[in-house]
């Protein structure tokens, strides 16, 4: 049974959600970085890893080299597989980086990398630039395919495909999701699985490397609420007046935001902008389930077989 808190999670915080919480009454999740232990004394929640703030003392040159090694190592470790892997290639920085690393490693072994890009039918006719996507993907995909010399396939999705997969996407996640984004991804995965059952993506890199527009907007610095929850009106339009009177979406979102801010490790002497960037990464990472998980905050390995 869904309760007021569940409604606030869906309509106040969605498509993100509070770590540890489901949307149904008395249904909770084990926190990432935690495990549950049950004995005669009862149930105990224990943490085996937690995020800590430490002063950064490396030079810019050393920082670049260290980050380069970490990213390359993270990607190559995820390439360990008994069956051929592929990558999703949108032409953006994240997927292009993953693709370049995979392609180079496979070429040394005399193999070619399969890559896939996804678009909507007639997108070239109706595309409009926005803060999240300032340009079409296709030109950048073409450049990367030419650079990395991959075996590439262009896949398309129309409105009927998305509608058919809306309910399937909710069932797959067990939660309301990002509608057309996850519906189309589910559809594309069902096509990719015919060629490859394991694929690497650049998902979650925006969270740790500050790729979203709100990392750079002053109004978001001062909002004291999640950037995607700043305007509740479109969300309230989906609810009837009785429900709106019983749930305070703004208050719930602000309380959840403040809880996350309070739990974010901080360093003494950080200025406001540095603190906000750290908090923002924690905010989005936490609400997407990466709280306490350093391994999955950077790169995600997806198995399209489950689609």
């Amino acid at each position: 049974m869904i309760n007021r808190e569940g409604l606030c999670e869906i309509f106040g915080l969605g498509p993100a959600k509070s770590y540890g919480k489901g949307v149904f009454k008395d249904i909770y999740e084990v926190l990432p970085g935690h495990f549950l232990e049950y004995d005669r004394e009862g149930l105990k929640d224990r943490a085996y890893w937690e995020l800590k703030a430490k002063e950064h003392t490396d030079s810019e040159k050393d920082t670049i080299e260290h980050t380069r090694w970490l990213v390359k190592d993270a990607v190559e470790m995820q390439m360990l597989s008994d069956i051929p892997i592929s990558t999703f290639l949108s032409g953006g920085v994240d997927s292009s980086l993953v693709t370049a690393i995979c392609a180079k490693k496979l070429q040394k072994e005399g193999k070619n990398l399969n890559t896939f890009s996804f678009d909507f039918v007639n997108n070239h006719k109706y595309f409009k630039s926005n803060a999240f996507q300032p340009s079409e993907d296709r030109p950048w995909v073409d450049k990367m395919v030419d650079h990395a010399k991959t075996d590439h396939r262009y896949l398309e999705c129309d409105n009927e495909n998305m509608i058919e997969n809306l309910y399937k996407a909710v069932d797959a996640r067990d939660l309301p999701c990002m509608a057309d984004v996850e519906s189309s991804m589910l559809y594309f995965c069902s096509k990719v699985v015919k060629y490859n059952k394991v694929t690497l993506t650049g998902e979650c890199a925006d969270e740790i490397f500050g790729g979203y527009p709100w990392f750079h907007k002053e109004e978001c610095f001062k909002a004291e609420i999640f950037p995607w929850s700043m305007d509740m009106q479109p969300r309230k339009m989906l609810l009837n007046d009785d429900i709106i009177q019983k749930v305070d979406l703004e208050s719930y979102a602000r309380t959840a935001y403040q809880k996350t801010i309070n739990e974010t490790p901080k360093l003494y002497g950080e200025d406001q902008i540095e603190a906000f960037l750290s908090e923002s990464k924690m905010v989005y990472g936490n609400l997407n389930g990466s709280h306490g998980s350093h391994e999955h905050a950077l790169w995600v390995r997806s198995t399209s077989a489950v689609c």
Side-chain angles (χ1 to χ4, degrees):
M1 180 179 72
I2 194 166
N3 56 12
R4 292 184 184 183
E5 188 175 77
L7 288 172
C8 286
E9 285 288 325
I10 295 170
F11 292 100
L13 302 184
K17 73 177 189 66
S18 299
Y19 46 91
K21 293 184 179 180
V23 298
F24 296 104
K25 184 179 179 181
D26 297 328
I27 300 295
Y28 303 97
E29 299 173 338
V30 179
L31 290 174
H34 288 235
F35 67 91
L36 298 182
E37 184 177 73
Y38 190 83
D39 57 24
R40 293 179 180 179
E41 297 179 2
L43 187 67
K44 300 181 181 66
D45 182 352
R46 302 188 185 279
Y48 61 86
W49 189 88
E50 63 180 357
L51 192 64
K52 296 180 179 179
K54 294 184 179 181
E55 186 178 358
H56 185 75
T57 58
D58 289 350
S59 66
E60 181 179 0
K61 180 180 178 182
D62 288 343
T63 299
I64 292 171
E65 184 58 35
H66 191 202
T67 302
R68 178 182 182 276
W69 182 87
L70 285 171
V71 171
K72 182 172 179 288
D73 183 65
V75 174
E76 290 184 345
M77 286 181 64
Q78 295 302 316
M79 293 180 68
L80 298 175
S81 174
D82 294 332
I83 55 179
I85 68 165
S86 63
T87 66
F88 290 173
L89 177 60
S90 68
V93 173
D94 309 322
S95 68
S96 296
L97 186 56
V98 174
T99 295
I101 293 170
C102 291
K104 187 174 182 178
K105 183 172 177 61
L106 288 179
Q107 285 164 6
K108 290 180 180 179
E109 301 171 6
K111 303 173 184 176
N112 271 13
L113 175 70
N114 280 352
T115 54
F116 302 87
S117 61
F118 316 117
D119 215 337
F120 299 104
V121 174
N122 292 325
N123 186 56
H124 64 284
K125 291 171 58 177
Y126 302 111
F127 174 81
K128 291 185 179 180
S129 178
N130 58 66
F132 282 89
Q133 191 174 5
S135 64
E136 289 187 73
D137 289 346
R138 180 65 181 260
W140 302 103
V141 171
D142 293 342
K143 288 178 182 291
M144 269 306 300
V145 170
D146 181 63
H147 171 76
K149 309 300 180 188
T150 66
D151 293 331
H152 189 75
R153 292 177 176 84
Y154 298 91
L155 303 178
E156 288 190 323
C157 178
D158 60 25
N159 289 336
E160 290 185 2
N161 299 141
M162 285 195 293
I163 292 171
E164 290 172 1
N165 283 274
L166 277 173
Y167 286 98
K168 294 178 183 178
V170 174
D171 289 341
R173 187 176 279 278
D174 271 348
L175 287 169
C177 55
M178 294 178 67
D180 61 319
V181 175
E182 301 201 30
S183 173
S184 59
M185 183 58 71
L186 186 64
Y187 172 75
F188 287 132
C189 284
S190 71
K191 299 300 179 184
V192 171
V193 75
K194 298 175 183 178
Y195 305 95
N196 290 89
K197 290 182 171 59
V198 177
T199 187
L200 307 189
T201 80
E203 297 295 326
C204 290
D206 286 313
E207 284 80 357
I208 196 168
F209 287 119
Y212 292 115
W214 50 69
F215 279 105
H216 317 286
K217 290 185 176 182
E218 186 176 357
E219 59 265 33
C220 295
F221 295 2
K222 303 175 180 178
E224 296 184 354
I225 197 170
F226 304 115
W228 52 90
S229 299
M230 289 171 65
D231 183 7
M232 291 291 184
Q233 196 54 41
R235 298 163 180 262
K236 290 181 177 180
M237 291 173 61
L238 300 172
L239 302 172
N240 63 38
D241 292 339
D242 290 340
I243 295 295
I244 292 174
Q245 290 175 7
K246 293 177 181 178
V247 297
D248 188 343
L249 300 182
E250 286 91 351
S251 177
Y252 187 89
R254 291 187 185 280
T255 299
Y257 174 84
Q258 195 57 53
K259 179 178 183 292
T260 300
I261 294 301
N262 293 340
E263 293 175 356
T264 303
K266 296 179 178 64
L267 290 175
Y268 177 78
E270 274 186 325
D271 64 33
Q272 184 179 1
I273 301 301
E274 288 174 336
F276 174 80
L277 292 176
S278 297
E279 291 163 357
S280 296
K281 292 173 184 179
M282 188 76 166
V283 161
Y284 202 85
N286 281 358
L287 286 168
N288 279 280
S290 58
H291 176 67
S293 175
H294 60 301
E295 295 177 346
H296 297 293
L298 186 55
W299 303 107
V300 171
R301 174 173 177 163
S302 306
T303 52
S304 56
V306 300
C307 300

